[in-house]
Amino acid sequence: MELNGSVEAPKENPAPRRSLSTSPGLQYGALVNSVTSLTTPESQNPPISNRQAYVTMAVLCYINLLNYMERYTIAGVLLNIQTFFKIRDSTAALLQTVFICSFLLLAPLFGYLGDRYNRKFIMIGGLCVWLLTAAASSFVTESYFWLLALLRGLVGIGEASYSTIAPTIIGDLFTGGKRSIMICIFYIFIPVGSGLGYIAGAGSAYLTGDWHWALRITPIMGVIGLIMMIFLCPNPARGAAETNGEGVVAQSSYLEDIKYLLKNKSYVWSSLGVTALAFLTGALAFWVPTFLSRARVTQGLHQPCTNEPCDSTDSYIFGAVTVATGILGGAVGTTLSRTFRDKVPYADPLICGVGMLGSVPCIFIIIFVAASSIPATYVFIFCGELLLSLNWAVMADILLYVVVPTRRATAEALQISFAHLLGDAGSPYLIGVISDAVSSSKPDDLNWSFHSLKVSLLVCPFIGILGGAFFLFTTKYITEDSKAVLCLIEGNEVLNAHLSHLTPCFFCFVFCFKANAVC
């Protein structure tokens, strides 16, 4: 149901909210409340206006942009960092791996806290940690690579709080088609921020002659985002958008939350697809600019980099392509979703699966064409990234409508942790290790350095095939799972409409939650 008016949130003395359970020992969704306790109260909570919801959305998008800019600034100046610290591919990849590992280890904690405590305060605390450690990492000197890696890990802790909780707030401000659009806009800033990270990193290194300045851009901009979050963002009630501002509450343990999610087949299969996408995009985003730079050396277009600053042409171009395909792909993916979701209930995972499988031939061509034609390689980079970008907003929307509101932060956190653990936490490092192993036979041959990275990148298309298959498996379960959640959220309206037929309504609820069926 889409809101025509405002979305409401609790203040100091909120009206009673819809309760999903009154005992933590009972199964989630058990019909243990009385009819009167489930009835909409006459007094409504002070509303969050449409204007405030849109302002909040703008602030969250701005911080998400900085989040991904900061994450891929390192990749934009990777050649400079390798030259500065005199490190090999596998060691350089540790910067991303350490960051992602700390990110994934803390995400479940923030998911647990986000389902139970004030989400705004949690994000503010995380942002403070992120800004301080990101700024500190820009002052590391040549002898302290280990300190740079440590600070990158601490940056991941700060970002984990935001990435886990922000999508759930959007889910509580908007619903229906409007929420799909807002989620699309929010997730478009993943590729846009990533692309700008390459450009900002390479540009600041070029202008200042020092790659350290690349790590100072986002902390400076982040202070503005922190101030806006403190003064402009509310903390909406969980499930506020679906319940006209009342919110939904439930008493359940963390173990019960996990059991619920593991039984949710749509959530499990789509999370596996997200993991494959994270592996693929993490590896390509980190290594493709370096791969193309080595391809130029192999073709005799450039000289190898021995002193800073290194040539950043491919960071600029790859960043621009990433921004363009992110915007276009996110818009196309959301448009396809809104067009076909009512006609084909499993359209969303189908779009994601087709996008991933369609990118596989492009990745193969990128790997083998780079040695002969850089322009042709960028054409297929554009096509491949466009197909992958179809997924970002759509897969996020899937989670929001197959998981009940009071467990969305936990679901986001576990999905992020799993996706990073088996995805982009290890994929850049794995590519680097394979590259070093292949190049060790001819360590001084520059052409062989390019060849070794080409061989290691062949892992990516096979992961793309797996990811596409996981999303296609999701199509089998998503219809029933989404309707079961809708049945739970709208259960109060069902009860109000059938007060004279309490027994059928009772069995409707039991059937919904025991069999994932439709009311």
Side-chain angles (χ1 to χ4, degrees):
M1 59 180 183
E2 187 162 344
L3 299 179
N4 296 321
S6 61
V7 181
E8 300 178 347
K11 295 225 174 156
E12 291 183 0
N13 296 306
R17 303 180 194 167
R18 290 184 177 87
S19 176
L20 301 177
S21 173
T22 56
S23 172
L26 292 171
Q27 203 168 21
Y28 195 87
L31 189 65
V32 294
N33 292 344
S34 66
V35 174
T36 55
S37 69
L38 284 170
T39 303
T40 304
E42 295 180 2
S43 60
Q44 295 295 319
N45 300 319
I48 294 177
S49 66
N50 283 336
R51 180 178 178 275
Q52 190 175 12
Y54 287 124
V55 169
T56 301
M57 178 68 191
V59 173
L60 295 178
C61 286
Y62 174 74
I63 298 174
N64 200 38
L65 174 74
L66 298 183
N67 185 352
Y68 281 87
M69 279 183 64
E70 201 284 330
R71 191 175 299 188
Y72 286 100
T73 298
I74 289 285
V77 293
L78 187 60
L79 284 174
N80 293 278
I81 292 174
Q82 286 186 284
T83 303
F84 182 79
F85 288 106
K86 299 178 177 60
I87 53 178
R88 302 184 69 186
D89 289 350
S90 57
T91 306
L94 280 175
L95 292 173
Q96 188 74 351
T97 297
V98 169
F99 166 83
I100 295 297
C101 283
S102 65
F103 187 98
L104 70 90
L105 289 174
L106 269 293
L109 172 62
F110 288 118
Y112 175 85
L113 297 175
D115 278 336
R116 290 161 175 82
Y117 301 101
N118 190 300
R119 291 174 289 182
K120 176 179 175 178
F121 293 158
I122 295 170
M123 289 194 296
I124 289 172
L127 279 174
C128 291
V129 174
W130 163 32
L131 296 176
L132 290 172
T133 52
S137 67
S138 69
F139 295 97
V140 175
T141 57
E142 188 174 0
S143 304
Y144 293 93
F145 176 78
W146 63 269
L147 180 58
L148 177 61
L150 174 63
L151 290 170
R152 291 297 298 168
L154 295 176
V155 169
I157 294 174
E159 289 192 17
S161 66
Y162 178 80
S163 297
T164 302
I165 295 173
T168 69
I169 289 182
I170 297 173
D172 291 333
L173 292 174
F174 306 97
T175 188
K178 187 180 292 185
R179 181 164 70 188
S180 296
I181 294 173
M182 295 303 163
I183 286 293
C184 170
I185 294 171
F186 181 79
Y187 276 91
I188 276 177
F189 284 96
I190 292 180
V192 170
S194 302
L196 291 178
Y198 295 111
I199 296 170
S204 58
Y206 174 77
L207 292 174
T208 62
D210 182 3
W211 65 267
H212 290 86
W213 276 99
L215 304 183
R216 295 169 188 163
I217 301 297
T218 50
I220 294 172
M221 298 173 66
V223 172
I224 301 172
L226 178 62
I227 294 171
M228 290 194 297
M229 175 166 286
I230 292 172
F231 292 104
L232 299 179
C233 293
N235 180 46
R238 293 165 183 84
E242 291 98 337
T243 58
N244 294 314
E246 287 182 68
V248 176
V249 295
Q251 297 177 3
S252 62
S253 68
Y254 191 62
L255 181 59
E256 286 177 317
D257 292 348
I258 295 174
K259 287 180 179 178
Y260 163 81
L261 293 171
L262 291 178
K263 291 178 180 179
N264 188 323
K265 293 183 177 64
S266 297
Y267 173 77
V268 172
W269 284 112
S270 63
S271 294
L272 289 172
V274 171
T275 302
L277 181 64
F279 184 102
L280 190 59
T281 55
L284 294 176
F286 193 81
W287 284 116
V288 164
T290 301
F291 176 67
L292 294 174
S293 180
R294 292 182 185 179
R296 291 181 188 274
V297 173
T298 299
Q299 294 180 36
L301 302 176
H302 285 171
Q303 293 298 314
C305 179
T306 55
N307 295 298
E308 296 183 71
C310 299
D311 186 275
S312 301
T313 301
D314 290 299
S315 292
Y316 291 128
I317 300 175
F318 186 74
V321 170
T322 301
V323 170
T325 55
I327 296 173
L328 183 58
V332 171
T334 300
T335 301
L336 291 173
S337 172
R338 297 189 69 196
T339 301
F340 294 106
R341 188 187 295 173
D342 292 337
K343 303 172 185 176
V344 184
Y346 52 85
D348 285 354
L350 185 62
I351 292 168
C352 294
V354 170
M356 286 205 72
L357 292 174
S359 71
V360 170
C362 296
I363 297 171
F364 268 118
I365 295 171
I366 290 166
I367 293 171
F368 288 102
V369 170
S372 57
S373 175
I374 297 296
T377 303
Y378 271 114
V379 170
F380 287 99
I381 288 175
F382 183 91
C383 295
E385 286 202 314
L386 179 64
L387 289 166
L388 291 174
S389 294
L390 296 177
N391 295 11
W392 290 115
V394 178
M395 69 187 190
D397 206 14
I398 288 174
L399 184 146
L400 291 176
Y401 66 72
V402 300
V403 176
V404 291
T406 54
R407 281 167 169 161
R408 285 174 184 162
T410 298
E412 288 276 359
L414 292 179
Q415 187 178 87
I416 286 172
S417 295
F418 191 76
H420 287 317
L421 178 64
L422 299 180
D424 55 350
S427 61
Y429 183 69
L430 176 63
I431 300 300
V433 168
I434 296 173
S435 176
D436 281 350
V438 176
S439 66
S440 61
S441 59
K442 300 178 183 179
D444 299 324
D445 189 334
L446 294 176
N447 291 334
W448 194 249
S449 175
F450 165 75
H451 176 75
S452 64
L453 191 52
K454 179 173 75 173
V455 170
S456 63
L457 286 172
L458 285 172
V459 174
C460 295
F462 295 101
I463 298 298
I465 294 172
L466 273 179
F470 291 144
F471 280 120
L472 293 181
F473 279 125
T474 308
T475 61
K476 182 178 178 182
Y477 306 103
I478 196 165
T479 303
E480 289 186 358
D481 288 341
S482 61
K483 287 182 178 178
V485 172
L486 186 63
C487 180
L488 169 64
I489 294 172
E490 296 184 342
N492 190 39
E493 282 75 16
V494 174
L495 280 177
N496 287 336
H498 298 282
L499 284 175
S500 60
H501 305 286
L502 180 58
T503 302
C505 207
F506 173 85
F507 285 109
C508 168
F509 265 76
V510 173
F511 191 59
C512 277
F513 305 130
K514 298 295 184 182
N516 284 332
V518 185
C519 283

